[in-house]
Amino acid sequence: MRILKSLALIAFAAATVLPAQAGDVAYPNGFRQWQHVKSMVLKPGHPLYDAVGGMHHIYANAKAEKGYKAGRFADGSVIVFDLFEAVDKDNAVAEGGRKAVVVMAKNSKQYKANDGWGYEVFDAKMKKGSLDAKGQADCHACHRAQKGQDFVFSAWRE
Ligand code: HEC
């Protein structure tokens, strides 16, 4: 899958991470009813364009919403990065087809190797994850830069 390969390529070298359990992050059923955190469009030329170019919306379940506000995420927190094509037309940028559903799930025991976060990418037709332990470690290698915010990049706004 192109998105995974590109993410792996741009990830910083994973230092000394133990392998996480592969393929064990559940599909986040019902996430469209969760709290919307933010949206963003990554255009050609952005360093992350090849991996996650397009329009994304970030959603947090109830535990993750508390985590955003507290700066620490409890076990059971799930964050979804819902990725779409961005259609730039007639001076407007609109949502196109879904590209992937990208997930982070907190479980400090199960995902100990990646500081408590499980990572997964589900294809656009949904529900089929594909990341192995190496793939998860590659995600975390970049997210590790956000250690001060419990490895999460996006931030809460009122
Ligand atoms: C090279 C850096 C990098 C890599 C590699 C990376 N991410 Fe991220 N990720 C980001 C950035 C930057 C954001 C914030 C986007 C925003 O603010 O809208 C983000 C946001 C997220 C979010 C929303 C929560 C948050 O941290 O804001 C999830 C979920 C996520 N990424 C999952 C993944 C998964 C799964 C992988 C591996 C397949 C991965 N990421 C690989 C940089 C990266």
Side-chain angles (χ1 to χ4, degrees):
M1 208 170 140
R2 198 165 61 91
I3 172 179
L4 292 182
K5 210 170 140 208
S6 321
L7 276 173
L9 286 174
I10 53 169
F12 306 134
T16 47
V17 274
L18 298 166
Q21 300 279 336
D24 49 9
V25 174
Y27 183 82
N29 282 317
F31 76 86
R32 289 278 288 116
Q33 266 72 55
W34 297 359
Q35 181 64 57
H36 174 249
V37 177
K38 65 166 290 200
S39 299
M40 189 176 185
V41 176
L42 301 185
K43 298 166 66 163
H46 188 279
L48 291 174
Y49 184 77
D50 285 345
V52 286
M55 181 184 291
H56 66 254
H57 311 287
I58 297 177
Y59 296 90
N61 71 357
K63 279 189 179 168
E65 182 183 344
K66 284 200 185 109
Y68 270 105
K69 292 169 180 167
R72 271 220 75 74
F73 292 79
D75 283 0
S77 298
V78 181
I79 309 174
V80 174
F81 181 110
D82 196 13
L83 179 64
F84 295 83
E85 305 280 354
V87 183
D88 198 336
K89 199 177 156 225
D90 301 334
N91 300 316
V93 181
E95 205 177 89
R98 182 177 263 133
K99 292 174 79 179
V101 174
V102 184
V103 179
M104 286 172 72
K106 187 79 177 276
N107 183 323
S108 42
K109 279 205 193 91
Q110 196 177 358
Y111 309 122
K112 201 168 174 213
N114 291 326
D115 296 299
W117 285 107
Y119 294 84
E120 188 56 279
V121 178
F122 295 91
D123 65 33
K125 289 192 208 78
M126 319 248 262
K127 320 231 167 167
K128 200 172 161 286
S130 47
L131 282 195
D132 60 7
K134 160 88 169 63
Q136 295 191 29
D138 286 344
C139 304
H140 194 59
C142 185
H143 277 255
R144 194 175 284 123
Q146 290 300 104
K147 192 168 185 201
Q149 284 78 52
D150 205 355
F151 309 97
V152 171
F153 279 97
S154 48
W156 187 258
R157 62 164 157 72
E158 288 305 327

